[in-house]
Amino acid sequence: LTFTNKAAGEMRERVDELVPPNVAGRRGLFVSTFHAFCARQLRVYADRIGLEAGFSIYDMADQRAAMKEAMSSTGLESGNWTPASMLAAISNAKNKLQSVEAFEAEASDFYTRTVARAYAAYAGILSRNNAVDFDDLLLKTASLLRENAEVRSELQDRFRYVLIDEYQDTNHAQFVIADAIANAHGNLFVVGDPDQ
């Protein structure tokens, strides 16, 4: 697993040189970004998290439009709150694995209660549209792995060795996903740059 499509492409090329695609032991090898890995798993297990397999993944433009709608529906004026600032706060919460309910429960001041309102409305829009954003890919996969022993066991059996490139860029959600998969066998190898 790595963080950018470019890095994943370079890793695939290197793997292809070392283990050509037609080699018998190659079956099951998977090189991907964290987000693509999560999207693939969520398509397989969509029904276990309340999604349909054909869910949409919102890009930044879709996210901004959904947030504008969420802010409008909750009476938040864009003169005081920008969609970008609300999306950034929600992204931060999701990367800490805070669901709407968890974020609302911890909201203790005017700002966090305001973000909680926007987060709830935004999540509702995504749900109605059978959609997720990029942070949901991580949040929902981490939640699935934490809460569903059967899925966790299947992925632990499927991915017996896990390598993470650019480990210094790993956030909490990505750590939880990698740990949940590698926990059963302990075969986790990470490469990072401490100077970054």
Side-chain angles (χ1 to χ4, degrees), residues 41 66 68 83 95 97 130 134-135 146 162 175 191 194:
Q41 302 317 312
K68 286 180 183 178
N95 287 323
L97 300 179
N130 191 41
F134 294 117
D135 295 314
R146 279 182 161 175
V162 179
F175 170 78
V191 177

PDB file of all heavy atoms in Angstrom, residues 41 66 68 83 95 97 130 134-135 146 162 175 191 194:
ATOM      1  N   GLN A  41     -12.447  -2.886  -1.272  1.00  0.00           N
ATOM      2  CA  GLN A  41     -13.029  -3.706  -0.203  1.00  0.00           C
ATOM      3  C   GLN A  41     -14.468  -3.285   0.085  1.00  0.00           C
ATOM      4  O   GLN A  41     -15.343  -4.129   0.330  1.00  0.00           O
ATOM      5  CB  GLN A  41     -12.182  -3.623   1.073  1.00  0.00           C
ATOM      6  CG  GLN A  41     -10.742  -4.059   0.907  1.00  0.00           C
ATOM      7  CD  GLN A  41     -10.567  -5.320   0.074  1.00  0.00           C
ATOM      8  OE1 GLN A  41     -11.244  -6.324   0.293  1.00  0.00           O
ATOM      9  NE2 GLN A  41      -9.666  -5.267  -0.901  1.00  0.00           N
ATOM     10  N   ALA A  66     -22.113  19.247  -2.084  1.00  0.00           N
ATOM     11  CA  ALA A  66     -22.859  18.610  -0.998  1.00  0.00           C
ATOM     12  C   ALA A  66     -22.749  19.428   0.279  1.00  0.00           C
ATOM     13  O   ALA A  66     -23.732  19.580   1.016  1.00  0.00           O
ATOM     14  CB  ALA A  66     -22.360  17.189  -0.772  1.00  0.00           C
ATOM     15  N   LYS A  68     -22.229  22.713   0.490  1.00  0.00           N
ATOM     16  CA  LYS A  68     -23.048  23.918   0.323  1.00  0.00           C
ATOM     17  C   LYS A  68     -24.509  23.608   0.613  1.00  0.00           C
ATOM     18  O   LYS A  68     -25.197  24.369   1.286  1.00  0.00           O
ATOM     19  CB  LYS A  68     -22.885  24.490  -1.090  1.00  0.00           C
ATOM     20  CG  LYS A  68     -21.575  25.188  -1.312  1.00  0.00           C
ATOM     21  CD  LYS A  68     -21.482  25.729  -2.732  1.00  0.00           C
ATOM     22  CE  LYS A  68     -20.133  26.361  -2.971  1.00  0.00           C
ATOM     23  NZ  LYS A  68     -19.968  26.856  -4.340  1.00  0.00           N
ATOM     24  N   PRO A  83     -17.513  26.361   2.885  1.00  0.00           N
ATOM     25  CA  PRO A  83     -17.572  24.908   2.663  1.00  0.00           C
ATOM     26  C   PRO A  83     -16.202  24.249   2.838  1.00  0.00           C
ATOM     27  O   PRO A  83     -16.102  23.165   3.413  1.00  0.00           O
ATOM     28  CB  PRO A  83     -18.078  24.792   1.224  1.00  0.00           C
ATOM     29  CG  PRO A  83     -18.877  26.042   1.021  1.00  0.00           C
ATOM     30  CD  PRO A  83     -18.143  27.102   1.786  1.00  0.00           C
ATOM     31  N   ASN A  95     -10.605  11.236   9.747  1.00  0.00           N
ATOM     32  CA  ASN A  95      -9.282  10.628   9.834  1.00  0.00           C
ATOM     33  C   ASN A  95      -8.934  10.212  11.254  1.00  0.00           C
ATOM     34  O   ASN A  95      -8.047   9.384  11.466  1.00  0.00           O
ATOM     35  CB  ASN A  95      -8.216  11.543   9.238  1.00  0.00           C
ATOM     36  CG  ASN A  95      -8.287  11.581   7.722  1.00  0.00           C
ATOM     37  OD1 ASN A  95      -8.565  10.569   7.084  1.00  0.00           O
ATOM     38  ND2 ASN A  95      -8.066  12.744   7.144  1.00  0.00           N
ATOM     39  N   LEU A  97     -11.253   8.791  12.905  1.00  0.00           N
ATOM     40  CA  LEU A  97     -12.282   7.751  13.013  1.00  0.00           C
ATOM     41  C   LEU A  97     -13.471   8.181  13.862  1.00  0.00           C
ATOM     42  O   LEU A  97     -14.093   7.366  14.534  1.00  0.00           O
ATOM     43  CB  LEU A  97     -11.688   6.430  13.517  1.00  0.00           C
ATOM     44  CG  LEU A  97     -10.602   5.832  12.647  1.00  0.00           C
ATOM     45  CD1 LEU A  97     -10.075   4.543  13.248  1.00  0.00           C
ATOM     46  CD2 LEU A  97     -11.110   5.597  11.226  1.00  0.00           C
ATOM     47  N   ASN A 130     -26.227   7.455  -1.930  1.00  0.00           N
ATOM     48  CA  ASN A 130     -25.401   6.250  -1.994  1.00  0.00           C
ATOM     49  C   ASN A 130     -23.983   6.624  -2.424  1.00  0.00           C
ATOM     50  O   ASN A 130     -23.428   6.101  -3.389  1.00  0.00           O
ATOM     51  CB  ASN A 130     -25.991   5.216  -2.958  1.00  0.00           C
ATOM     52  CG  ASN A 130     -25.298   3.863  -2.826  1.00  0.00           C
ATOM     53  OD1 ASN A 130     -25.003   3.416  -1.730  1.00  0.00           O
ATOM     54  ND2 ASN A 130     -25.032   3.221  -3.957  1.00  0.00           N
ATOM     55  N   PHE A 134     -13.652  10.744  -0.050  1.00  0.00           N
ATOM     56  CA  PHE A 134     -12.377  10.038   0.078  1.00  0.00           C
ATOM     57  C   PHE A 134     -12.093   9.615   1.522  1.00  0.00           C
ATOM     58  O   PHE A 134     -11.573   8.534   1.760  1.00  0.00           O
ATOM     59  CB  PHE A 134     -11.226  10.895  -0.457  1.00  0.00           C
ATOM     60  CG  PHE A 134     -11.301  11.140  -1.938  1.00  0.00           C
ATOM     61  CD1 PHE A 134     -11.445  12.423  -2.438  1.00  0.00           C
ATOM     62  CD2 PHE A 134     -11.238  10.092  -2.841  1.00  0.00           C
ATOM     63  CE1 PHE A 134     -11.530  12.647  -3.803  1.00  0.00           C
ATOM     64  CE2 PHE A 134     -11.321  10.304  -4.215  1.00  0.00           C
ATOM     65  CZ  PHE A 134     -11.467  11.593  -4.687  1.00  0.00           C
ATOM     66  N   ASP A 135     -12.447  10.477   2.465  1.00  0.00           N
ATOM     67  CA  ASP A 135     -12.203  10.140   3.870  1.00  0.00           C
ATOM     68  C   ASP A 135     -13.109   9.014   4.333  1.00  0.00           C
ATOM     69  O   ASP A 135     -12.719   8.215   5.192  1.00  0.00           O
ATOM     70  CB  ASP A 135     -12.394  11.372   4.758  1.00  0.00           C
ATOM     71  CG  ASP A 135     -11.361  12.443   4.466  1.00  0.00           C
ATOM     72  OD1 ASP A 135     -10.171  12.106   4.348  1.00  0.00           O
ATOM     73  OD2 ASP A 135     -11.748  13.625   4.350  1.00  0.00           O
ATOM     74  N   ARG A 146     -13.005  -3.120  12.308  1.00  0.00           N
ATOM     75  CA  ARG A 146     -13.118  -3.134  13.770  1.00  0.00           C
ATOM     76  C   ARG A 146     -14.366  -3.883  14.238  1.00  0.00           C
ATOM     77  O   ARG A 146     -14.337  -4.586  15.240  1.00  0.00           O
ATOM     78  CB  ARG A 146     -13.196  -1.704  14.306  1.00  0.00           C
ATOM     79  CG  ARG A 146     -11.875  -1.011  14.443  1.00  0.00           C
ATOM     80  CD  ARG A 146     -12.090   0.361  15.026  1.00  0.00           C
ATOM     81  NE  ARG A 146     -10.856   0.888  15.581  1.00  0.00           N
ATOM     82  CZ  ARG A 146     -10.739   2.098  16.072  1.00  0.00           C
ATOM     83  NH1 ARG A 146     -11.772   2.911  16.105  1.00  0.00           N
ATOM     84  NH2 ARG A 146      -9.586   2.516  16.551  1.00  0.00           N
ATOM     85  N   VAL A 162       1.656  -7.603   4.470  1.00  0.00           N
ATOM     86  CA  VAL A 162       1.273  -6.219   4.185  1.00  0.00           C
ATOM     87  C   VAL A 162       2.537  -5.368   4.199  1.00  0.00           C
ATOM     88  O   VAL A 162       3.305  -5.385   5.164  1.00  0.00           O
ATOM     89  CB  VAL A 162       0.268  -5.689   5.244  1.00  0.00           C
ATOM     90  CG1 VAL A 162      -0.103  -4.245   4.949  1.00  0.00           C
ATOM     91  CG2 VAL A 162      -0.972  -6.576   5.303  1.00  0.00           C
ATOM     92  N   PHE A 175      -3.536   3.571   9.794  1.00  0.00           N
ATOM     93  CA  PHE A 175      -2.867   2.693  10.750  1.00  0.00           C
ATOM     94  C   PHE A 175      -3.831   1.619  11.257  1.00  0.00           C
ATOM     95  O   PHE A 175      -3.478   0.441  11.330  1.00  0.00           O
ATOM     96  CB  PHE A 175      -2.307   3.482  11.934  1.00  0.00           C
ATOM     97  CG  PHE A 175      -1.834   2.583  13.036  1.00  0.00           C
ATOM     98  CD1 PHE A 175      -0.618   1.932  12.944  1.00  0.00           C
ATOM     99  CD2 PHE A 175      -2.634   2.338  14.145  1.00  0.00           C
ATOM    100  CE1 PHE A 175      -0.185   1.071  13.943  1.00  0.00           C
ATOM    101  CE2 PHE A 175      -2.217   1.482  15.149  1.00  0.00           C
ATOM    102  CZ  PHE A 175      -0.989   0.844  15.045  1.00  0.00           C
ATOM    103  N   VAL A 191       7.959   1.099   5.288  1.00  0.00           N
ATOM    104  CA  VAL A 191       9.115   1.854   4.829  1.00  0.00           C
ATOM    105  C   VAL A 191       8.745   3.323   4.928  1.00  0.00           C
ATOM    106  O   VAL A 191       7.693   3.746   4.425  1.00  0.00           O
ATOM    107  CB  VAL A 191       9.464   1.516   3.360  1.00  0.00           C
ATOM    108  CG1 VAL A 191      10.630   2.364   2.887  1.00  0.00           C
ATOM    109  CG2 VAL A 191       9.774   0.044   3.211  1.00  0.00           C
ATOM    110  N   PRO A 194      12.173   9.213   7.988  1.00  0.00           N
ATOM    111  CA  PRO A 194      12.025   9.973   9.232  1.00  0.00           C
ATOM    112  C   PRO A 194      12.282  11.470   9.050  1.00  0.00           C
ATOM    113  O   PRO A 194      11.866  12.270   9.872  1.00  0.00           O
ATOM    114  CB  PRO A 194      13.069   9.341  10.157  1.00  0.00           C
ATOM    115  CG  PRO A 194      14.071   8.700   9.256  1.00  0.00           C
ATOM    116  CD  PRO A 194      13.292   8.282   8.035  1.00  0.00           C
TER     117      PRO A 194
END
